[in-house]
């Protein structure tokens, strides 16, 4: 039996901005982050406080027209990237000798942007003062009106500017009487309740294989790199949106079952599963395309917003025992 408690649910929403951000701001931020990365790498610094203490003043003086919190968030990003690089290096998976930041991404804290969800506008601090942008939104974004606004990332992609904002909300997790198990497979999601099994068909393997073959055909036929990248991005987005739509619809159905039976939801802890994939080239690729963890994340946040407890269990021997039980 679970006791009532509050849990924080976090979601990231993407908004398209109706306007342009000076390219020099992205280049300047990229340059600062890479300088911090070089310094952190040379000194072996993983502490944000130490990196900020040793480099903030110097960079602040050099980039005096840049709002100070850009230096602050650049230190945060540099530490995060360097920590990830060190982990990959220890595992022998790093593709270079030192970390490098190449993306057109700027991390913003609450001093660098103000988002107004009533009028759907955002004001962003720049070296030329605060600039206002109209935020393009849809029905999905309406639910965030009463959520708390956290950090954000300004992203430039395909000559378009996006604002990725982290929202958070407290949800009260209720007591439960039963537990329903949810097993995520390549082509279906199966739930086990006290009343029997319910299978939801996803056809994810079929969808992902079809898009994989389509991308491979594009790569072999189109020679122009720019056109190829544009077409591949289009099909990548279509695949993601199609699979995500299926995830959301199935997660909603499972949440309804849990609410009806006053149950908690049990998921397998599959965190290290990709490390164990060692089959043929074709099977390895197919399994790596499978988005089991993304489905679990969608189900988890939907469940918590409805006050449903979510627990992760050790999957050891569950594939053997389930058919027996």
């Amino acid at each position: 039996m679970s006791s009532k408690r509050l849990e924080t649910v976090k979601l990231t929403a993407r908004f398209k901005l109706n306007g342009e951000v000076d390219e020099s701001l992205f280049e300047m931020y990229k340059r600062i982050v890479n300088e911090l990365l070089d310094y952190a790498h040379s000194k072996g610094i993983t502490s944000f406080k130490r990196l900020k203490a040793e480099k903030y003043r110097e960079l602040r003086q050099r980039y005096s027209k840049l709002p100070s919190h850009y230096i602050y968030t650049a230190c945060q990003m540099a530490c995060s990237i360097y920590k990830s690089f060190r982990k990959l290096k220890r595992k022998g998976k790093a593709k270079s000798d030192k970390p490098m930041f190449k993306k057109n991404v700027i991390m913003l804290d609450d001093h660098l942007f103000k988002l107004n969800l009533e009028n759907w506008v955002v004001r962003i601090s720049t070296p030329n003062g605060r600039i206002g942008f109209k935020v393009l939104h849809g029905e999905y974004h309406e639910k965030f009106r009463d959520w708390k606004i956290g950090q954000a990332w300004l992203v430039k992609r395909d000559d378009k500017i996006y604002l990725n904002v982290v929202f958070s909300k407290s949800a009260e997790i209720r007591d439960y009487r039963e537990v329903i198990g949810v097993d995520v497979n390549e082509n279906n999601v199966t739930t086990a309740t006290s009343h029997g099994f319910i299978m939801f068909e996803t056809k994810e393997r079929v969808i992902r294989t079809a898009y994989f073959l389509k991308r491979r055909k594009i790569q072999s036929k189109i020679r122009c790199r720019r056109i190829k990248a544009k077409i591949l991005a289009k099909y990548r987005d279509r695949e993601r949106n199609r699979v995500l739509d299926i995830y959301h619809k199935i997660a909603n159905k499972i949440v309804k079952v849990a609410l009806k039976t006053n149950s908690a939801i049990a998921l397998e802890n599959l965190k290290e599963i990709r490390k164990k994939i060692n089959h043929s080239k074709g099977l390895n690729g197919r399994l790596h395309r499978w988005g089991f963890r993304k489905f679990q994340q969608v189900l988890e946040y939907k469940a918590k917003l409805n006050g449903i407890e979510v627990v992760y269990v050790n999957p050891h021997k569950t594939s053997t025992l389930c058919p027996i039980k």
Side-chain angles (χ1 to χ4, degrees):
M1 179 72 68
S2 172
S3 59
K4 290 183 180 180
R5 69 178 192 281
L6 289 177
E7 282 202 17
T8 301
V9 179
K10 291 186 177 182
L11 285 178
T12 301
R14 168 174 285 189
F15 301 91
K16 185 178 178 182
L17 302 188
N18 188 13
E20 294 183 1
V21 176
D22 193 343
E23 176 71 26
S24 63
L25 183 61
F26 286 98
E27 293 302 321
M28 189 185 303
Y29 193 80
K30 196 184 301 181
R31 191 161 59 246
I32 292 170
V33 173
N34 278 318
E35 182 175 337
L36 289 166
L37 277 173
D38 287 341
Y39 186 81
H41 180 60
S42 64
K43 301 286 186 178
I45 299 174
T46 57
S47 166
F48 162 70
K49 288 185 178 180
R50 181 184 165 189
L51 184 61
K52 179 175 173 288
E54 296 184 16
K55 292 293 289 182
Y56 179 83
R57 282 190 181 180
E58 175 196 335
L59 291 169
R60 186 75 186 94
Q61 290 174 354
R62 203 186 317 157
Y63 298 94
S64 57
K65 293 184 179 180
L66 190 68
S68 62
H69 277 258
Y70 279 105
I71 311 296
Y72 185 91
T73 63
C75 289
Q76 288 180 301
M77 283 199 74
C79 281
S80 178
I81 293 169
Y82 182 55
K83 285 179 183 178
S84 297
F85 173 80
R86 277 167 54 109
K87 287 181 181 179
L88 291 173
K89 193 76 173 176
R90 284 196 296 266
K91 296 175 182 178
K93 295 181 179 180
K95 296 180 181 179
S96 59
D97 295 329
K98 64 177 185 177
M100 181 71 71
F101 180 63
K102 300 178 181 180
K103 297 180 179 179
N104 287 320
V105 177
I106 299 173
M107 183 179 179
L108 305 175
D109 61 13
D110 57 358
H111 293 270
L112 294 174
F113 83 105
K114 298 296 178 184
L115 180 61
N116 184 335
L117 295 181
E118 291 298 320
N119 300 317
W120 297 104
V121 294
V122 63
R123 296 187 63 81
I124 298 174
S125 296
T126 73
N128 300 317
R130 283 188 175 266
I131 300 177
F133 296 92
K134 189 69 177 174
V135 175
L136 304 181
H137 63 285
E139 185 180 343
Y140 168 76
H141 300 98
E142 293 290 337
K143 69 179 179 182
F144 293 110
R145 284 182 181 272
D146 61 338
W147 288 47
K148 184 179 178 181
I149 300 172
Q151 288 180 320
W153 285 263
L154 198 62
V155 181
K156 184 176 182 180
R157 180 183 171 192
D158 299 330
D159 296 325
K160 297 183 178 96
I161 303 296
Y162 299 93
L163 186 71
N164 297 343
V165 184
V166 176
F167 292 91
S168 61
K169 184 177 184 179
S170 293
E172 185 180 274
I173 307 300
R174 299 190 296 265
D175 294 339
Y176 59 88
R177 289 192 310 235
E178 301 179 10
V179 177
I180 62 173
V182 178
D183 185 34
V184 187
N185 302 293
E186 279 188 279
N187 275 325
N188 66 75
V189 175
T190 303
T191 62
T193 72
S194 58
H195 303 289
F197 295 91
I198 307 172
M199 181 182 290
F200 302 99
E201 193 173 28
T202 64
K203 295 185 179 178
E204 182 176 351
R205 185 173 73 185
V206 177
I207 294 169
R208 292 199 181 276
T209 300
Y211 277 100
F212 167 73
L213 295 174
K214 193 172 291 187
R215 286 194 299 269
R216 191 166 68 176
K217 189 176 181 180
I218 292 168
Q219 287 172 328
S220 64
K221 287 194 172 185
I222 301 177
R223 294 183 178 273
C224 178
R225 186 176 296 178
R226 183 178 60 83
I227 296 174
K228 184 192 296 185
K230 191 174 182 179
I231 296 174
L232 288 173
K234 180 181 74 172
Y235 282 106
R236 181 184 64 240
D237 290 345
R238 283 185 183 179
E239 177 186 0
R240 183 192 65 236
N241 293 338
R242 188 174 172 186
V243 172
L244 271 178
D245 181 61
I246 294 170
Y247 286 171
H248 282 282
K249 287 176 179 176
I250 292 177
N252 287 336
K253 292 177 182 178
I254 294 173
V255 166
K256 283 183 180 179
V257 173
L259 287 172
K260 188 177 180 180
T261 57
N262 195 15
S263 302
I265 293 175
L267 297 168
E268 290 181 306
N269 185 352
L270 302 174
K271 189 175 179 180
E272 304 294 328
I273 191 173
R274 295 203 189 276
K275 294 181 180 179
K276 300 175 182 178
I277 296 175
N278 186 22
H279 307 286
S280 65
K281 184 178 178 180
L283 182 56
N284 286 347
R286 198 187 83 201
L287 293 176
H288 279 296
R289 289 190 293 273
W290 174 32
F292 60 88
R293 183 64 187 121
K294 184 63 180 177
F295 173 77
Q296 289 184 332
Q297 290 172 342
V298 170
L299 178 58
E300 182 176 357
Y301 91 74
K302 284 180 179 289
K304 287 182 177 179
L305 285 176
N306 283 277
I308 300 169
E309 178 86 20
V310 177
V311 295
Y312 284 87
V313 299
N314 188 337
H316 183 58
K317 289 188 177 180
T318 53
S319 295
T320 304
L321 296 176
C322 281
I324 299 174
K325 292 184 177 182

